[in-house]
């Protein structure tokens, strides 16, 4: 049976700054589990399989089953349902909240964070399996049980048409289908295995022109594997790292996720690295293409892309640029004396790769550059210490649920979920009842703050300050993020107002000051906040975005979510520490509020870039403006936002927004006009902040009724459609949101409407 282990080291090749706090890894123990427990797991797996086309999202049941045995809830309060004609009472809401927080508390790990599934994208695991296959480490790193669960996951998320999507809920794409098919083959599945699944996948690929139609990232992965030619790739010259920083297109000016992915890609491209040509690779050369491999026109393949994958088609200027580099520049750099420049560029690239590895304890900023960096370390030296240090950190990215084993979009969302959970529980005014839960969360927040800047000249390594920041996941990961720092600070400040006897000691003032310093340092001249760094270049640079699948990846744009979180944190800090950098904080809040007002759409919404979608963005937009001193009476922005949200409420009383809103940038209801507990939580929180209770509480009563009636017997809430997003087009799972936001919305509803009834 699989077991989730928390804050576990267990390898001499692991490095840590805080005794592995926040680390969550799954291990298989063949001796674990009673027959009843194993039967329960198999039942969950079968249920997912049987309903996989109707309900594409797992409910993260393996972790829930484990924790229900380890942290049993002594008494489950009786479930309550509210009829439409029935009035909401404080007793009903409080009962629902206690049931919900009791359940969510038993999901908390002993180090204070809430573990959970952060999967969703389908293109992450293939890079890992390709890298392990090339380096010969596949069988050493992945046990037979790992491989079995990875295959289960891939088969479970194959669409009815035979293809695989960019993410678990998406329609089939060439990128998702080719890489998933290749991964299954490398994991040992035959070309005709899977009860016809492999054949259906291959038919999908070949009926749409074959693997020459895959996106640029897919071309790169197939090239290193040896199932595609480098001449079929658009150039990724590492010499870009040698350009003067003052040029707008220097990679140091790009969004860190973008530059950290293209850094190792450029290293592999510069070397034209190809792994061992195995019998499986030779077979894939036959299986993936509509014509014999040696007859493919690789030059024509460079810009080929299936219509299903084209979210961001290449503009003409990009085609001209790549053709020029391919025809005129690359031939010079591949031969003496130009080769000397190539060697210098490759050396620069690998130095930056090592810096990233060392300063994230070999976790790396994300899963794509994690496996690419690992491959580069092996290419540089197969016996290197760097490669060995990479291997145990692979498990930090693997998560298992009833749908199988997936690779997550980060090493988890530990800090993010914990900071939100703290705010949600405190909002209920039931703090004293949940002291042990909050005490552990306080411990996690304390242990996850980044305490030092990265070493060396930060400008040379293109890094922002990080001392005092909070990361998205763990201190070992360590990349500072504006909204994570803000949410961490908000949670720390709320906890500091509660007796230390209940929640433990508050964070020292010096550490709060450091967090404020990070937030203030991240405000752009336009008032907005981007994610990890300042916006360092210009929007027109998106013209050279080579990733056909993703939008807005080249620079770090300012976002309403990050800007709002910064306002909220600084406003909260200003109340408790009025003398510290007050003028700077006041000016920062004023400029940030102006940015939020200026980015509101004409219909009153804000586009959410990290959650689905207009509901999420509008929650942040309203919350930020209210924190800055605006209200329904003095702000037309808040009035328009309320009208927008009220216009989207469904007959059920809830709100339900589809991920299609993110792609199309137009509000879209979930199919069948179904409501969603997370969207409903966001909408209610925004409306309550904007004073809806004082004007007309009816929409809030309806929303609360929907949430109460959605709660399931054990106090959990149902896992519905996917609610996270990145780069406009790819969805990602936030498994804890289904618990956090109903608690938070009902908590605010209880304290604002029922404990302080309006006249």
């Amino acid at each position: 049976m699989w077991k989730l282990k928390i804050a576990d080291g267990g390898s001499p090749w692991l490095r840590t700054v805080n005794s592995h706090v926040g680390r969550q890894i799954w291990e298989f123990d063949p001796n674990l589990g009673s027959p009843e427990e194993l039967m329960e797991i198999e039942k969950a797996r079968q249920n997912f399989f049987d309903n996989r086309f109707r309900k594409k999202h797992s409910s993260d049941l393996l972790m829930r089953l484990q924790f229900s045995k380890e942290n049993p809830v002594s008494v489950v309060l009786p479930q309550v349902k509210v009829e439409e004609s029935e009035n909401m009472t404080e007793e009903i809401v409080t009962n629902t909240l206690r049931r919900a927080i009791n359940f969510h508390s038993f999901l908390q790990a002993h180090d204070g964070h809430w573990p959970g599934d952060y999967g969703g994208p389908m293109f992450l695991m293939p890079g890992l399996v390709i890298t392990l296959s090339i380096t010969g480490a596949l069988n050493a790193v992945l046990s037979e049980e790992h491989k079995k669960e990875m295959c289960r996951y891939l088969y479970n998320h194959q669409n009815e048409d035979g293809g695989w999507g960019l993410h678990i809920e998406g329609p089939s794409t060439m990128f998702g289908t080719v890489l998933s098919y290749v991964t299954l083959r490398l994991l040992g599945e035959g070309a005709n295995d899977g009860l016809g699944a492999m054949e259906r996948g291959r038919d999908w690929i070949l009926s749409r022109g074959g693997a020459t139609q895959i996106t640029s990232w897919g071309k790169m992965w197939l090239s290193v594997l040896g199932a595609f030619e480098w001449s079929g790739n658009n150039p990724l010259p590492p010499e870009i790292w040698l350009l003067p920083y003052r040029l707008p297109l220097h990679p140091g000016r790009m969004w860190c996720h973008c530059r950290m992915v293209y850094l190792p890609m450029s290293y592999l491209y510069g070397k034209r690295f190809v792994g061992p040509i195995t019998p499986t690779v030779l077979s894939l050369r036959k299986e993936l293409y509509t014509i014999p491999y040696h007859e493919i026109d690789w030059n024509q393949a460079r810009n080929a892309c299936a219509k299903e994958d084209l979210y961001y088609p290449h503009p003409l200027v990009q085609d001209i640029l790549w053709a020029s580099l391919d025809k005129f520049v690359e031939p010079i750099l591949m031969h003496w004396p130009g080769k000397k420049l190539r060697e210098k560029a490759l050396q620069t690239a690998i130095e930056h790769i090592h810096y990233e590895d060392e300063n994230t304890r070999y976790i790396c900023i994300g899963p794509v550059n994690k496996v690419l960096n690992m491959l580069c370390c092996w290419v540089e030296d197969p016996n290197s210490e760097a490669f060995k240090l990479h291997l145990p950190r692979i498990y930090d990215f693997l998560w298992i649920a009833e749908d199988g084993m997936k690779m997550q979009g980060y090493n988890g969302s530990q800090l993010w979920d914990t900071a939100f959970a703290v705010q949600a529980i405190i909002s209920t005014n039931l703090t004293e009842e949940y002291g042990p839960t909050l005490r552990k969360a306080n411990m996690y927040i304390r242990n996850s703050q980044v305490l030092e800047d990265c070493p060396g000249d930060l400008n040379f390594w293109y890094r922002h300050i990080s001392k005092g920041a909070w990361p998205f996941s763990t201190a070992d990961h360590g990349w500072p993020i504006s909204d994570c720092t803000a949410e961490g600070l908000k949670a720390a400040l709320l906890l500091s107002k509660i007796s230390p006897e209940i929640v433990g000691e508050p964070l020292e003032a010096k550490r709060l000051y450091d967090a404020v310093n990070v937030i203030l340092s991240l405000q752009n001249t336009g008032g907005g906040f981007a994610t990890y760094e300042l916006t360092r270049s210009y929007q027109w640079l998106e013209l050279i975005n080579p990733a056909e699948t993703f939008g807005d990846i080249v620079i770090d744009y300012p976002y309403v979510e990050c800007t709002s979180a910064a306002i909220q944190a600084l406003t909260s800090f200003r109340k408790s520490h009025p003398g510290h950098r007050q003028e700077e904080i006041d000016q920062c809040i004023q400029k940030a509020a102006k940015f939020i007002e200026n980015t509101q759409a004409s219909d009153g919404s804000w586009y959410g870039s990290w959650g689905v979608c207009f509901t999420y963005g509008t929650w942040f937009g309203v919350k930020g403006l209210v924190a800055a001193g605006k209200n329904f009476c003095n702000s037309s922005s808040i009035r328009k936002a309320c009208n927008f949200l009220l216009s989207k409420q469904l007959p059920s009383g809830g709100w339900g927004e589809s991920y299609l809103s993110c792609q199309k940038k137009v509000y879209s209801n979930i199919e069948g006009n179904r409501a969603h507990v997370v969207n409903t939580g966001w909408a209610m929180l925004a409306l309550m902040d904007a004073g809806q209770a004082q004007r007309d509480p009816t929409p809030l009563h309806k929303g609360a009724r929907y949430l109460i009636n959605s709660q399931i017997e054990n106090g959990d809430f149902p896992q519905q459609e996917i609610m996270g997003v990145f780069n406009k087009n790819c969805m990602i799972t936030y498994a804890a949101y289904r618990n956090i936001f109903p608690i938070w919305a009902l908590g605010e509803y209880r304290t604002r409407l029922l404990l302080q009834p309006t006249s």
Side-chain angles (χ1 to χ4, degrees):
M1 191 169 87
W2 288 94
K3 181 179 174 65
L4 179 64
K5 301 181 79 172
I6 301 296
D8 183 77
S11 167
W13 293 99
L14 284 169
R15 294 177 176 178
T16 183
V17 297
N18 66 351
S19 302
H20 303 288
V21 167
R23 188 170 193 242
Q24 45 188 39
I25 58 164
W26 288 91
E27 282 188 2
F28 185 79
D29 183 345
N31 302 313
L32 208 60
S34 66
E36 292 78 16
E37 287 170 334
L38 295 172
M39 192 181 298
E40 203 171 359
I41 289 169
E42 285 309 314
K43 184 181 171 186
R45 287 169 172 160
Q46 188 62 48
N47 185 54
F48 183 87
F49 178 81
D50 292 343
N51 296 285
R52 67 193 185 281
F53 298 129
R54 187 179 60 82
K55 187 175 182 292
K56 298 188 175 186
H57 205 302
S58 76
S59 295
D60 215 6
L61 291 180
L62 268 66
M63 183 197 78
R64 280 163 162 72
L65 290 170
Q66 177 182 323
F67 279 28
S68 69
K69 304 293 186 296
E70 293 177 356
N71 313 317
V73 178
S74 52
V75 179
V76 178
L77 296 169
Q79 189 172 10
V80 179
K81 299 289 183 184
V82 187
E83 299 297 327
E84 200 160 330
S85 57
E86 200 177 342
N87 286 331
M88 302 294 288
T89 66
E90 195 261 331
E91 183 183 0
I92 289 170
V93 175
T94 304
N95 181 76
T96 302
L97 281 168
R98 285 193 175 117
R99 284 166 40 78
I101 304 172
N102 287 346
F103 183 85
H104 199 49
S105 293
F106 98 67
L107 296 181
Q108 188 181 26
H110 64 77
D111 68 357
H113 85 277
W114 275 267
D117 183 350
Y118 193 59
M122 293 298 295
F123 61 89
L124 302 177
M125 194 159 65
L128 171 65
V129 172
I130 289 170
T131 295
L132 291 176
S133 179
I134 290 168
T135 58
L138 187 71
N139 295 327
V141 173
L142 302 179
S143 67
E144 290 306 310
E145 290 295 331
H146 280 92
K147 294 179 203 170
K148 176 181 166 185
E149 291 304 323
M150 287 176 167
C151 290
R152 184 197 306 277
Y153 178 75
L154 291 168
Y155 284 136
N156 269 333
H157 291 288
Q158 185 177 25
N159 290 328
E160 286 183 275
D161 64 4
W164 283 267
L166 182 65
H167 56 89
I168 56 173
E169 293 191 14
S172 299
T173 62
M174 189 65 76
F175 186 35
T177 304
V178 171
L179 289 188
S180 296
Y181 180 90
V182 166
T183 303
L184 284 164
R185 293 287 281 112
L186 294 176
L187 288 170
E189 295 294 285
N192 297 306
D193 283 354
L195 300 175
M198 294 297 283
E199 194 175 348
R200 291 199 309 277
R202 193 163 61 250
D203 288 347
W204 194 98
I205 294 165
L206 297 176
S207 67
R208 287 158 179 82
T212 52
Q213 302 296 312
I214 199 171
T215 60
S216 57
W217 284 24
K219 289 175 166 65
M220 184 280 308
W221 276 121
L222 293 179
S223 297
V224 296
L225 181 64
F228 202 94
E229 294 300 306
W230 278 112
S231 56
N233 288 254
N234 279 321
L236 288 170
E239 286 75 17
I240 193 172
W241 287 87
L242 301 178
L243 294 173
Y245 183 78
R246 63 179 176 272
L247 292 179
L249 51 69
H250 188 284
R253 293 179 172 274
M254 294 176 182
W255 184 39
C256 52
H257 274 284
C258 179
R259 73 169 179 269
M260 286 299 168
V261 165
Y262 284 106
L263 169 67
M265 280 186 183
S266 72
Y267 182 83
L268 296 167
Y269 175 83
K271 282 191 169 285
R272 300 296 197 277
F273 170 78
V274 180
I277 304 301
T278 64
T280 302
V281 172
L282 289 173
S283 186
L284 284 168
R285 288 181 174 186
K286 295 174 183 173
E287 295 165 34
L288 295 175
Y289 301 101
T290 57
I291 60 174
Y293 189 79
H294 66 274
E295 292 179 16
I296 294 170
D297 183 340
W298 294 109
N299 184 54
Q300 190 178 27
R302 277 192 309 109
N303 291 311
C305 185
K307 67 179 191 301
E308 292 84 354
D309 294 67
L310 269 182
Y311 183 74
Y312 181 81
H314 288 177
L316 178 62
V317 65
Q318 210 176 118
D319 292 339
I320 294 169
L321 173 63
W322 303 142
S324 302
L325 288 171
D326 185 61
K327 295 292 181 287
F328 306 116
V329 179
E330 276 302 311
I332 296 170
L333 294 169
M334 292 297 285
H335 301 92
W336 193 90
K339 199 168 184 180
K340 293 298 246 183
L341 189 64
R342 172 61 44 98
E343 288 167 3
K344 183 181 179 185
L346 290 169
Q347 185 58 35
T348 299
I350 200 70
E351 285 171 7
H352 281 272
I353 287 166
H354 290 318
Y355 186 84
E356 157 72 350
D357 291 346
E358 290 160 11
N359 287 289
T360 58
R361 276 51 62 183
Y362 290 81
I363 297 169
C364 300
I365 195 171
V368 179
N369 85 313
K370 158 68 184 173
V371 293
L372 284 168
N373 282 15
M374 183 167 72
L375 179 56
C376 291
C377 291
W378 186 84
V379 171
E380 184 192 31
D381 178 1
N383 298 310
S384 67
E385 183 181 85
F387 180 67
K388 292 168 187 169
L389 287 162
H390 262 293
L391 291 173
R393 283 299 188 184
I394 289 168
Y395 305 113
D396 295 50
F397 285 93
L398 300 179
W399 188 264
I400 189 167
E402 68 271 23
D403 58 341
M405 179 166 275
K406 61 209 76 176
M407 192 172 192
Q408 302 186 105
Y410 225 72
N411 66 322
S413 53
Q414 294 91 318
L415 183 279
W416 185 249
D417 291 339
T418 303
F420 274 159
V422 165
Q423 294 174 72
I425 293 169
I426 291 174
S427 78
T428 65
N429 207 19
L430 299 170
T431 307
E432 291 190 16
E433 295 181 34
Y434 297 100
T437 301
L438 292 171
R439 177 181 283 269
K440 287 197 291 182
N442 188 19
M443 178 177 68
Y444 187 78
I445 289 166
R446 169 183 289 276
N447 289 334
S448 299
Q449 190 179 21
V450 181
L451 301 181
E452 298 294 340
D453 288 327
C454 289
D457 180 355
L458 296 183
N459 290 330
F460 178 82
W461 300 108
Y462 317 114
R463 290 293 297 261
H464 196 82
I465 61 167
S466 47
K467 183 182 180 182
W470 272 278
F472 183 69
S473 56
T474 62
D476 279 339
H477 182 286
W479 272 86
I481 312 179
S482 61
D483 54 353
C484 299
T485 303
E487 298 299 342
L489 179 57
K490 283 165 62 186
L493 290 167
L494 282 171
L495 289 162
S496 72
K497 295 174 184 175
I498 304 169
S499 167
E501 292 180 9
I502 298 174
V503 299
E505 291 300 317
L507 213 58
E508 297 84 352
K510 176 69 172 70
R511 289 174 65 171
L512 301 176
Y513 296 164
D514 288 342
V516 168
N517 185 55
V518 170
I519 293 172
L520 291 173
S521 74
L522 283 166
Q523 187 171 39
N524 289 295
T525 52
F529 285 76
T531 55
Y532 294 78
E533 297 159 344
L534 291 162
T535 304
R536 295 175 175 177
S537 201
Y538 305 96
Q539 195 168 349
W540 59 258
L541 214 62
E542 211 64 47
L543 284 170
I544 61 164
N545 170 8
E548 304 87 345
T549 316
F550 307 114
D552 291 356
I553 69 165
V554 180
I555 65 169
D556 201 349
Y557 293 88
Y559 298 100
V560 64
E561 299 101 308
C562 300
T563 307
S564 169
I567 293 174
Q568 295 170 54
L570 292 174
T571 304
S572 181
F573 174 82
R574 185 172 61 181
K575 287 175 186 169
S576 57
H577 297 76
H580 185 77
R581 300 177 73 171
Q582 186 162 348
E583 192 175 335
E584 287 175 77
I585 289 171
D586 291 346
Q587 288 176 357
C588 176
I589 291 169
Q590 196 175 359
K591 283 173 65 181
K594 199 75 186 161
F595 170 85
I596 291 177
E597 288 173 334
N598 291 341
T599 51
Q600 187 178 29
S602 58
D603 66 358
S605 69
W606 282 270
Y607 179 88
S609 295
W610 305 103
V612 178
C613 169
F614 294 98
T615 321
Y616 186 67
T618 303
W619 171 49
F620 272 101
V622 169
K623 205 163 176 59
L625 291 179
V626 169
K630 309 288 183 180
N631 58 49
F632 188 86
C633 297
N634 68 18
S635 170
S636 62
S637 291
I638 290 179
R639 290 194 294 274
K640 288 196 297 183
C642 289
N643 290 337
F644 169 79
L645 288 171
L646 292 171
S647 74
K648 303 303 179 189
Q649 191 170 24
L650 297 165
S652 64
W655 282 257
E657 188 177 3
S658 165
Y659 78 82
L660 295 172
S661 294
C662 306
Q663 294 178 346
K664 297 176 179 177
K665 302 182 184 176
V666 175
Y667 189 98
S668 307
N669 281 333
I670 291 172
E671 188 180 351
N673 288 337
R674 294 192 306 275
H676 195 297
V677 294
V678 177
N679 289 136
T680 302
W682 292 335
M684 285 181 65
L685 286 166
L687 288 168
M688 286 186 283
D689 257 349
Q692 184 66 35
Q694 287 73 43
R695 293 184 299 280
D696 175 14
T698 306
L700 301 173
H701 296 321
K702 289 180 177 177
R705 182 180 291 110
Y706 166 74
L707 290 178
I708 290 167
N709 290 340
S710 296
Q711 191 177 38
I712 54 184
E713 197 173 343
N714 63 359
D716 200 356
F717 286 86
Q719 177 61 61
Q720 298 163 299
E721 286 77 6
I722 202 159
M723 277 289 119
V725 63
F726 60 93
N727 300 135
K728 304 286 190 284
N729 195 37
C730 194
M731 306 305 127
I732 196 159
T733 296
Y734 285 87
Y737 277 14
R738 76 201 225 211
N739 304 102
I740 292 168
F741 288 104
I743 291 170
W744 200 342
L746 289 172
E748 294 281 359
Y749 177 79
R750 176 181 187 265
T751 54
R752 289 177 186 245
L753 275 82
L754 302 180
L755 296 183
Q756 299 174 9
T758 54
S759 57

